[in-house]
Amino acid sequence: MSDDHAVACQGLEYAFGETRAVDGLDLAVAPGEVFGLLGPNGAGKTTAIRCVTTLLPVPAGRVRVFGHDAARERMAVRRLLGYVPQQLSADAGLTGRENVALFARVFDVPRKERARRVEQALYAVDLTEAADRMARTYSGGMIRRLELAQALVSAPRLLILDEPTIGLDPIARTSVWDHINAVRAATGMTVLVTTHHMDEADQYCDRLALMHRGRVRALGTPDGLKSELRERRGPEEPPPTLEDVFRDVAGSGLDSQGGDFRDVRSTRRTAARLG
């Protein structure tokens, strides 16, 4: 496993009781790319990301972030990344500026740099004018941009986004991605994202990994994955979409997927609060 990768997972396993959420995951993300991790609910995406972020231990296998071992060098890994989870991380009782400043302290941004970093993060997501308003007054799109600012305040080399546009309308989704891409272009940071929006994955990701039952089942560029499916189907079929690739990999067995009750409840609460 090369230390040249931004993220490298080798044989990663994680189980919740008798349920194996991640089952021998091998994954490599190159520095500077936008890498999409796709799959149905229950495929193991969020569990894998929590291992990368050190929020979960690495019981079997190996995870490295820019050469640092996520099991043995947890603090070194945390200093390299910003993380926007599915669940809301902004505090409605604080202003936008206070939320970002709180994360600056959490990520141990040096005191003398905090004010400048907070301003830079708010500016990067176009929240400067709304910075001193209470977060409870923000729209869904503004909340997601605020959470992006929280993740960016530490100037991360790796930005991890778990369903960053959940519950947002198409205009707000585009706005969030415009700001992500602007920061990426300016800093060269790596982006690892999970999403159920196939149009987002197709448009914004350099490469994709499709997970099913804890393992990567397909890997490549969006165009490459669609081309592979078209070759298998034959030229007489209409050109496949990325959603077709998703269905081909994951199947249509809804009864065996979807996460548990808490996963569904958490996702719906987040979508409702952002809607």
Side-chain angles (χ1 to χ4, degrees), residues 57-80:
V58 180
R62 198 174 182 192
V63 176
R64 296 182 74 84
V65 177
F66 288 105
H68 294 281
D69 191 299
R72 296 182 300 174
E73 303 174 87
R74 296 173 65 187
M75 291 309 300
V77 168
R78 290 176 182 179
R79 291 189 183 101
L80 294 172

Side-chain angles (χ1 to χ4, degrees), residues 160-205:
I160 298 180
L161 308 166
D162 196 1
E163 297 287 345
T165 59
I166 185 172
L168 300 185
D169 62 56
I171 295 175
R173 284 168 50 198
T174 299
S175 175
V176 169
W177 272 106
D178 284 346
H179 288 91
I180 292 169
N181 285 326
V183 174
R184 180 203 176 201
T187 66
M189 72 180 177
T190 307
V191 179
L192 174 60
V193 59
T194 75
T195 180
H196 282 128
H197 294 297
M198 295 300 105
D199 58 328
E200 289 184 358
D202 202 350
Q203 182 175 356
Y204 299 116
C205 293

Side-chain angles (χ1 to χ4, degrees), residues 133-165:
R133 283 170 43 193
M134 302 298 287
R136 68 167 61 94
T137 68
Y138 286 13
S139 68
M142 291 173 71
I143 291 173
R144 265 317 194 213
R145 285 190 279 130
L146 174 59
E147 292 179 314
L148 181 57
Q150 293 172 170
L152 293 174
V153 73
S154 62
R157 294 179 64 187
L158 171 65
L159 178 64
I160 298 180
L161 308 166
D162 196 1
E163 297 287 345
T165 59

Side-chain angles (χ1 to χ4, degrees), residues 94-116:
L94 299 177
T95 66
R97 188 185 310 279
E98 289 169 340
N99 269 288
V100 180
L102 175 62
F103 272 71
R105 292 194 295 272
V106 168
F107 282 100
D108 201 26
V109 173
R111 183 185 298 271
K112 64 181 180 179
E113 296 183 23
R114 285 178 192 167
R116 178 177 61 83

